[in-house]
């Protein structure tokens, strides 16, 4: 990878880091939405949980801002940002009062913006691990009825049935994301090669 290619992908990492940082900052609105939902009767979320989630998201947001703006280490910020986002979703989805499972499917797509297949793969694996952890915790603190038997689900049945469904969704999201990663990387690589060739031709003409 030459200097121009390295510069392009470093700048892209920085831009995507800022994008993920904004998403994490946006999650600061969730606790306030929970309060409003409680007041109008849409949610029934303990206020202790709302306070804890506010503190958690605030701390994570400050860490991300510091790494992005102060530390000036784009690659480190890339990992901190995606891990923070996955952790926040995991924290909220572990609650029996909140269902935001679809958010897990976003992470492979977010990772694909970096145009790195390995990072997209790592992100998907981390997402799968978080699903297992949060669903096991939720299965121990939730109640559901088996649609076939009409009987209450055991913890193991609750965990296995829901986890399997979410894993399938994340897997298909990964297949699409890895294809987007490969296509995006190749497209930008070809564009940079064409620009380099054009620069070489112009430099040759100038020397003639």
């Amino acid at each position: 990878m030459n200097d121009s290619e390295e510069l392009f992908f470093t700048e892209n990492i920085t831009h995507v880091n800022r994008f993920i940082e904004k998403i994490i900052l946006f999650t600061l609105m969730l606790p306030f939405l929970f309060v409003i939902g409680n007041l109008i009767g849409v949610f029934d979320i303990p206020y202790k949980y709302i306070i804890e989630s506010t503190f958690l998201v605030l701390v994570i947001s400050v860490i991300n801002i510091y790494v992005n703006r102060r530390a000036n280490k784009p690659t480190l910020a890339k990992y901190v940002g995606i891990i923070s986002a996955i952790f926040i979703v995991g924290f909220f989805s572990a609650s029996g009062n909140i269902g935001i499972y679809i958010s897990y499917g976003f992470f492979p797509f977010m990772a694909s913006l970096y145009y790195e297949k390995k990072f997209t793969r790592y992100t998907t694996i981390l997402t799968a691990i978080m699903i297992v952890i949060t669903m096991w915790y939720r299965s121990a603190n939730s109640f559901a009825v088996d649609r076939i038997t009409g009987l209450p689900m055991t913890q193991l049945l609750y965990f296995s049935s829901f986890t399997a469904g979410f894993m399938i969704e994340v897997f298909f999201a990964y297949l699409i994301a890895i294809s987007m990663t490969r296509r995006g990387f190749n497209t930008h690589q070809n564009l940079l090669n064409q620009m380099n060739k054009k620069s070489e031709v112009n430099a040759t003409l100038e020397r003639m």
Side-chain angles (χ1 to χ4, degrees), residues 107-149:
F107 296 121
F109 295 113
M110 291 169 62
S112 71
L113 297 175
Y114 290 103
Y115 306 127
E116 297 178 22
K117 290 188 293 183
K118 184 179 294 185
F119 184 70
T120 302
R121 190 176 301 114
Y122 287 161
T123 299
T124 305
I125 293 173
L126 181 60
T127 301
I129 293 173
M130 183 59 71
I131 289 175
V132 171
I133 294 172
T134 55
M135 288 311 303
W136 180 254
Y137 178 83
R138 187 170 180 131
S139 67
N141 298 277
S142 299
F143 175 82
V145 176
D146 191 322
R147 295 181 180 179
I148 298 176
T149 64

